[in-house]
Amino acid sequence: MTAEEAVEPAPEAPGEVGWRTDLVGGLLSAALGAAVLLHVRTFPELPDGQPGPALFPGLVGALLVVFGLVLAVRALRARGRAVAPAAQVAPQGVVRALAVLGFVAAYLLLAEAVGFILTMAVLLFLLTWLLGVRPLVAAASAVVTTGAIVLLFRELLLVPLPIGLLG
């Protein structure tokens, strides 16, 4: 064994998750969080120190930075150590993950025209139903969750939500 082979970690086996993947993912998450934090600085501030529209996106951005850096540091510390075999992702899991992304895109496209309440209730029902919840439970949880979000944001925090068709 040469000195170069002793220093260089063994190449990752095809079925294993390596430290490089976590390093890149962590750094990308931290960069996205930093971009969000920079962007929310342009949001308007409310008088009297009340939380403004930048509060929640800022919290999400800060958490992305913190947890992205934690993941990157853990990846660097794991460099050269044996890694666990990668978990196999079932096709059903891929469909569900893509559905979540599709529902986020649908919300962005529909919320202004249709309104928050109707869009959110329908998308939450479809998502929970797709995840295997019985239709009646999915409908009840969608209605309760949508109502709680409306109460919290529109009524308590005074954050305007899209009205759309319900105008």
Side-chain angles (χ1 to χ4, degrees):
M1 177 183 291
T2 67
E4 291 173 340
E5 291 173 335
V7 173
E8 187 73 5
E12 297 162 9
E16 296 179 339
V17 176
W19 63 272
R20 289 179 184 92
T21 305
D22 286 347
L23 177 64
V24 170
L27 292 176
L28 286 175
S29 294
L32 176 63
V36 168
L37 288 173
L38 287 174
H39 180 66
V40 299
R41 293 181 62 184
T42 65
F43 289 11
E45 294 183 19
L46 296 180
D48 301 327
Q50 294 179 357
L55 176 65
F56 290 110
L59 287 174
V60 171
L63 289 173
L64 279 169
V65 169
V66 169
F67 289 120
L69 291 176
V70 167
L71 182 61
V73 168
R74 286 183 64 189
L76 287 173
R77 291 180 69 198
R79 182 178 49 183
R81 283 193 257 152
V83 294
Q88 296 297 320
V89 178
Q92 184 181 16
V94 173
V95 169
R96 289 174 173 174
L98 291 174
V100 169
L101 294 175
F103 289 144
V104 170
Y107 173 82
L108 293 173
L109 294 172
L110 297 172
E112 288 295 326
V114 178
F116 175 84
I117 293 174
L118 186 58
T119 303
M120 185 57 68
V122 169
L123 290 177
L124 282 175
F125 167 75
L126 291 174
L127 179 62
T128 54
W129 183 53
L130 175 70
L131 294 175
V133 176
R134 293 188 315 260
L136 187 58
V137 175
S141 67
V143 169
V144 169
T145 303
T146 302
I149 292 170
V150 168
L151 178 67
L152 176 66
F153 285 93
R154 189 170 67 193
E155 304 301 326
L156 296 177
L157 297 175
L158 304 176
V159 175
L161 298 173
I163 295 178
L165 296 174
L166 301 177

